[in-house]
Amino acid sequence: MPTPFPLMTCQAVRQALLNKQEIALLDVREEDVFAQAHPLFAANLPLARLDPDARRRIPRLDTLIVAYDDGEGLAQAAAQILQQLGYSQVHLLDGGLQSWQQAGGELFKDVNVPSKAFGELVDAQRHTPMLSAQEVKALLEAQANVVVLDARRFDEYQTMNIPTSISVPGAELVLRATAMAPDPSTRIIVNCAGRTRSIIGTQSLVNAGIANPVAALRNGTIGWSLAGQTLEHGAGRQANQVPETQRLAAAQRARAVADRAGVKRAQLADVARFRSETMRTSYCLDVRTPEEFAAGHLSGFASAPGGQLVQETDVTMPVRGARAVLADLDGVRANMTASWLAQMGWEMWVLDGLQAADFRETGQLPPPVSPSPHRYRRPYEGTNNPHAAMQAYLDWEYGLVAQLARDGTHGFKVL
């Protein structure tokens, strides 16, 4: 007979989120189904991935976990697996997804919605400068004093990119922008596939006080495709090395941004103290590139490149209310990443005083997880998606701010 698990009401879950209590609200359906409708701060952890992924994503065994499905019967099985893995505070959402909606809870579509909604809120409140695909193409054709920086992962950039653009993943922008555009009159244009990473990347440069004029490419590679303009494929252009004087200047700017956002300061001794606390979850994350991480990293830290961390908080840190400690060796990437996560409601710490000798652990990163046949296909992944689907995706992103206002549990605060 199945082990009975305690039920948690939708109202209790919402109150825990409002109180910034540690809670992991887990949707245990496959990603494609999850992406069709879910609460704002639900994290997708499919039943089939619980055994290999749960301990990495939910490190504390007495974390409050609330699992749900939409009547498929998966939540009970997931709760049993979690209990077998050693988790002691496993609950089921009373009534599942349907009860969330019936109780007035907002449902969201797509993946990484907290980050995408936050990006739209940043744009709405800060009026992030943008240029259309047609305007950017005209600048490039006129050989204007302009550089296009692609804020996505390098593999995404290689799949398709704006002509002449250079790969500079999001957390690298403030560190490397001056080296990429040493003439302060050079216009810097930041793009991603859709909107979020270009908004956050551009606003990062604005917040850090970069001297160059900056703008986001409105709607990224989707907007470029919808304008009937040709993308490149297989490019390999990457950022320049940063001179020490530019790194120091960027570190000073980044720290000031993080301080304004309320980011806290920690030493290695604090990390040991955090890890000894039995009632708090501490995500310890290295926000440099995967290659830098593999060459040497701090003991107990996981690789989470900063741009993707801001984009995928629900994947890397599914325990809402947890603490996060970020590390780098340049004083820029951790501070800029932490500044955004703090505005998204996370308790953020950045490690100070690190030396190269502290990054003594080496090893290759684990191989990527094979794509699931039930994976949600994002409309911004390729140019072979119908234009109607890409436009519908952009229309959905535009509407996120209004939906965010209705949800009422986000706790975001844009500086």
Side-chain angles (χ1 to χ4, degrees):
M1 185 173 179
T3 304
F5 289 92
L7 302 178
M8 193 164 181
T9 66
C10 299
Q11 181 56 40
V13 171
R14 288 176 63 86
Q15 194 59 51
L17 291 169
L18 288 168
N19 294 343
K20 296 188 176 182
Q21 176 184 347
E22 286 199 20
I23 181 171
L25 178 60
L26 299 185
D27 188 316
V28 297
R29 301 172 297 165
E30 290 292 341
E31 184 187 71
D32 187 51
V33 183
F34 162 81
Q36 306 310 315
H38 58 83
L40 178 62
F41 288 121
N44 183 221
L45 187 49
L47 181 67
R49 298 297 309 173
L50 283 171
D51 197 356
D53 291 351
R55 288 299 302 271
R56 172 176 56 84
R57 295 180 64 189
I58 308 173
R60 189 167 59 85
L61 289 175
D62 56 354
T63 300
L64 172 61
I65 298 175
V66 182
Y68 75 88
D69 57 29
D70 195 20
E72 299 92 343
L74 302 172
Q76 175 75 28
Q80 291 175 322
I81 293 173
L82 289 165
Q83 188 177 68
Q84 292 166 3
L85 290 172
Y87 292 97
S88 60
Q89 299 295 324
V90 182
H91 295 65
L92 300 177
L93 181 64
D94 191 4
L97 186 64
Q98 185 177 18
S99 70
W100 184 273
Q101 190 168 27
Q102 290 173 344
E106 196 79 19
L107 296 181
F108 290 77
K109 188 175 181 178
D110 201 24
V111 292
N112 311 136
V113 175
S115 299
K116 292 172 181 176
F118 176 71
E120 293 303 312
L121 186 64
V122 169
D123 179 40
Q125 293 193 8
R126 294 299 305 275
H127 308 292
T128 304
M130 292 191 186
L131 293 174
S132 69
Q134 294 89 338
E135 290 172 310
V136 173
K137 185 172 185 287
L139 288 170
L140 295 176
E141 288 180 340
Q143 297 185 331
N145 186 12
V146 61
V147 62
V148 181
L149 305 182
D150 191 313
R152 299 172 297 162
R153 300 190 315 266
F154 183 60
D155 64 293
E156 293 180 88
Y157 166 79
Q158 289 185 303
T159 299
M160 58 181 180
N161 68 282
I162 306 303
T164 79
S165 66
I166 302 164
S167 175
V168 186
E172 310 287 317
L173 284 164
V174 172
L175 174 63
R176 305 189 188 280
T178 303
M180 304 307 299
D183 177 357
S185 67
T186 300
R187 183 187 295 274
I188 298 174
I189 298 169
V190 179
N191 82 274
C192 64
R195 291 176 56 81
T196 310
R197 285 173 287 184
S198 60
I199 292 170
I200 296 298
T202 301
Q203 199 62 50
S204 292
L205 296 175
V206 172
N207 290 356
I210 296 294
N212 305 70
V214 297
L217 169 60
R218 183 177 289 114
N219 302 329
T221 56
I222 288 181
W224 195 269
S225 297
L226 290 175
Q229 298 170 183
T230 303
L231 291 162
E232 287 184 343
H233 303 278
R237 295 179 292 271
Q238 294 183 275
N240 299 337
Q241 291 296 314
V242 179
E244 182 64 8
T245 55
Q246 292 181 359
R247 182 197 68 80
L248 290 171
Q252 186 176 23
R253 290 193 295 265
R255 186 182 182 105
V257 174
D259 288 345
R260 290 200 303 272
V263 173
K264 302 176 184 180
R265 302 289 150 190
Q267 305 289 326
L268 281 173
D270 294 308
V271 175
R273 175 171 58 85
F274 293 159
R275 287 175 174 157
S276 70
E277 295 176 0
T278 59
M279 301 300 291
R280 290 285 278 132
T281 297
S282 293
Y283 288 106
C284 296
L285 305 171
D286 185 322
V287 297
R288 302 172 302 154
T289 66
E291 294 76 17
E292 290 172 287
F293 178 86
H297 55 266
L298 299 172
S299 176
F301 275 65
S303 177
Q308 286 305 114
L309 175 56
V310 174
Q311 176 79 358
E312 300 175 344
T313 54
D314 55 322
V315 174
T316 307
M317 303 189 298
V319 181
R320 291 295 303 180
R323 169 199 294 131
V325 185
L326 307 187
D328 63 20
L329 253 178
D330 48 75
V332 183
R333 290 173 283 186
N335 277 306
M336 290 308 301
T337 302
S339 76
W340 289 118
L341 296 177
Q343 292 174 71
M344 293 177 70
W346 293 93
E347 180 188 331
M348 295 305 304
W349 297 72
V350 167
L351 277 176
D352 282 343
L354 295 173
Q355 304 296 322
D358 297 320
F359 292 70
R360 61 175 61 95
E361 289 205 357
T362 61
Q364 296 299 312
L365 292 169
V369 176
S370 299
S372 166
H374 307 290
R375 180 177 178 271
Y376 172 64
R377 180 168 174 78
R378 293 113 173 111
Y380 45 84
E381 287 186 341
T383 56
N384 58 344
N385 284 333
H387 281 197
M390 291 192 282
Q391 185 60 58
Y393 171 76
L394 294 176
D395 293 341
W396 167 80
E397 284 202 326
Y398 296 147
L400 271 177
V401 172
Q403 195 174 3
L404 197 68
R406 292 193 299 271
D407 181 81
T409 62
H410 55 82
F412 298 159
K413 183 179 180 181
V414 179
L415 297 180

